[in-house]
Amino acid sequence: MVSYIIRRLLLVIPTLIAIVTINFFIIQIAPGGPVDQFIAKLQGLDSGIMEQVSGAGKSELVKTDIKEKSTYRGAQGLDPEVIAEIEKRFGFDKPIHVRYFKMLKDFFFFDFGDSLFRGRSVIELIVERMPVSISLGLWSTLIIHLVCIPLGIKKALKHSSRFDIWTSTVIIICNAIPVFLFAILLIILFAGGTYFNWFPLRGLVSVNFDQLSLVGKILDYFWHMALPTLALVIGGFATLTFLTKNSFLDEISKQYVVTARAKGLTENRILYGHVFRNAMILVIASFPSAFIGLFFTGSMLVEVIFSLDGMGLLGFQATLQRDFPLMFSTLYIFTLMGLILSIISDITYTIVDPRIDFEKRG
């Protein structure tokens, strides 16, 4: 198993390079880059700002003959020296291949540079936002698995019963409710919207968090996390519950279960000693994608609604602003997390079912 893990870790490097490379060149050729974004802001500012950007006091607008010289759509009417200074500021005065190899070198040493529009280092922004996204992703994934796995097992054992039918109905209805709509409903009901004011409306912790005791801090943290986590959880039951149910149904119908019953083994021994290990393999395989999905894409709307500054919102804002260092850094980190989680998932396979040996598969 050790040699397999080493091979998988070594494979992480070319995979990261391939994903970052593809996204780098696609985004570079797309219109509306950071230079265009900054030029658009300059068009609405006074000449004093332009002088600061150019560094040479060049703030006079140049007319029609300049328009044909610039490759940027929003650059009409700006002095070419201002455009050149903006390109230099964002690193676009260098050829694309130079920028590409510099980015790879920096990323190898986890040097993500500075945000183009926020005036702070990318790593500071990521570290600042990471606790929110980790909290949402971790607790949502944990609750979903703790509820769905036992529920799926029970549904498999009571297949086609009244319990199976009504639980399936409730799960399908919950799955049909959009996350953002359920989040708004929770605010209306429980966060002072119309009825009750039991939970806070915004933030990860209270303003006086530093003054609370250890127990108080823990309770305050979960008090703030309750509604956002519930909003994410409500729509995540369906896939895992039905996956668990179908996996157990498939295993229960196999010959080895019939043989075990004929030998006089108890149902619990058959279910948790034999069926569980085989049925859980598919469930374990879904964990990395489920966690990454909740950690990034699934949490963005919840972060907006509950005023939580997390990685999902940060990545979305970076994409809108074409903040390339921030965009590629979040992509790099989430890709790396996904690859590492897939390796952890393989290790978990062998824990659940020791018969699985990845090394023998070459």
Side-chain angles (χ1 to χ4, degrees):
M1 189 66 183
V2 175
S3 61
Y4 170 77
I5 294 174
I6 293 174
R7 290 198 304 269
R8 288 293 304 274
L9 288 174
L10 292 176
L11 189 62
V12 166
I13 299 175
T15 306
L16 272 175
I17 293 175
I19 293 174
V20 171
T21 299
I22 292 171
N23 283 273
F24 177 84
F25 286 103
I26 290 176
I27 293 174
Q28 291 291 330
I29 63 177
V35 176
D36 288 308
Q37 295 280 333
F38 195 79
I39 289 173
K41 291 184 178 181
L42 282 182
Q43 297 291 359
L45 299 178
D46 58 18
S47 60
I49 299 298
M50 294 186 184
E51 291 178 3
Q52 294 177 14
V53 173
S54 65
K58 297 290 185 179
S59 59
E60 294 184 3
L61 299 180
V62 182
K63 301 302 181 181
T64 309
D65 58 328
I66 300 296
K67 295 181 182 180
E68 302 297 330
K69 296 180 182 180
S70 177
T71 59
Y72 300 102
R73 294 181 180 180
Q76 289 88 348
L78 288 181
D79 194 307
E81 293 189 22
V82 174
I83 303 299
E85 187 64 28
I86 295 173
E87 290 178 339
K88 183 178 180 181
R89 175 175 178 175
F90 292 129
F92 278 76
D93 56 329
K94 301 180 179 65
I96 187 171
H97 69 277
V98 174
R99 302 200 304 270
Y100 167 71
F101 285 111
K102 183 181 184 302
M103 183 191 70
L104 288 185
K105 178 184 175 183
D106 292 341
F107 278 18
F108 183 79
F109 295 102
F110 288 89
D111 179 10
F112 301 124
D114 296 327
S115 170
L116 298 182
F117 297 102
R118 296 172 184 265
R120 298 174 59 188
S121 70
V122 171
I123 196 67
E124 286 181 4
L125 291 169
I126 291 175
V127 170
E128 182 182 280
R129 304 293 185 93
M130 192 71 78
V132 173
S133 295
I134 289 179
S135 296
L136 289 173
L138 181 62
W139 295 121
S140 300
T141 306
L142 183 62
I143 292 173
I144 288 173
H145 280 71
L146 288 177
V147 173
C148 291
I149 292 175
L151 180 60
I153 294 173
K154 189 167 184 178
K155 285 173 66 63
L157 297 177
K158 296 182 176 293
H159 180 57
S160 297
S161 66
R162 294 179 64 182
F163 172 82
D164 183 34
I165 293 172
W166 74 257
T167 51
S168 296
T169 303
V170 172
I171 290 171
I172 291 172
I173 292 174
C174 291
N175 187 62
I177 301 175
V179 173
F180 74 92
L181 188 61
F182 188 70
I184 294 173
L185 179 63
L186 290 176
I187 291 175
I188 293 173
L189 292 177
F190 303 113
T194 303
Y195 298 96
F196 305 103
N197 191 17
W198 294 347
F199 296 94
L201 181 60
R202 64 184 68 233
L204 187 63
V205 293
S206 299
V207 178
N208 63 334
F209 181 78
D210 294 332
Q211 302 172 4
L212 299 175
S213 64
L214 178 60
V215 176
K217 289 181 179 180
I218 295 173
L219 292 176
D220 182 75
Y221 167 76
F222 284 108
W223 184 46
H224 282 77
M225 287 300 303
L227 294 187
T229 303
L230 183 59
L232 282 176
V233 162
I234 194 68
F237 287 136
T239 302
L240 187 58
T241 300
F242 290 124
L243 177 62
T244 304
K245 175 190 172 182
N246 293 332
S247 297
F248 271 81
L249 280 176
D250 184 58
E251 292 297 323
I252 289 172
S253 63
K254 290 184 177 179
Q255 185 61 41
Y256 74 88
V257 176
V258 178
T259 303
R261 285 172 177 161
K263 289 182 177 180
L265 295 179
T266 63
E267 285 296 318
N268 285 339
R269 178 69 183 277
I270 295 171
L271 183 63
Y272 296 105
H274 299 280
V275 174
F276 185 82
R277 292 188 308 175
N278 298 325
M280 287 302 295
I281 292 176
L282 288 176
V283 177
I284 292 171
S286 68
F287 177 80
S289 59
F291 179 75
I292 290 296
L294 287 172
F295 185 76
F296 184 60
T297 54
S299 64
M300 188 189 70
L301 290 175
V302 173
E303 290 174 10
V304 173
I305 293 171
F306 289 97
S307 300
L308 297 170
D309 291 329
M311 289 290 292
L313 182 58
L314 181 66
F316 177 70
Q317 291 172 342
T319 303
L320 291 181
Q321 295 176 335
R322 299 297 195 274
D323 195 337
F324 285 176
L326 203 49
M327 287 174 61
F328 293 127
S329 299
T330 52
L331 171 67
Y332 181 84
I333 289 174
F334 282 116
T335 303
L336 180 61
M337 288 179 58
L339 294 172
I340 297 299
L341 282 174
S342 67
I343 297 174
I344 295 174
S345 177
D346 288 346
I347 296 173
T348 312
Y349 281 150
T350 61
I351 296 175
V352 175
D353 191 349
R355 295 171 300 175
I356 298 177
D357 191 348
F358 291 103
E359 290 190 10
K360 292 183 178 179
R361 301 185 180 186

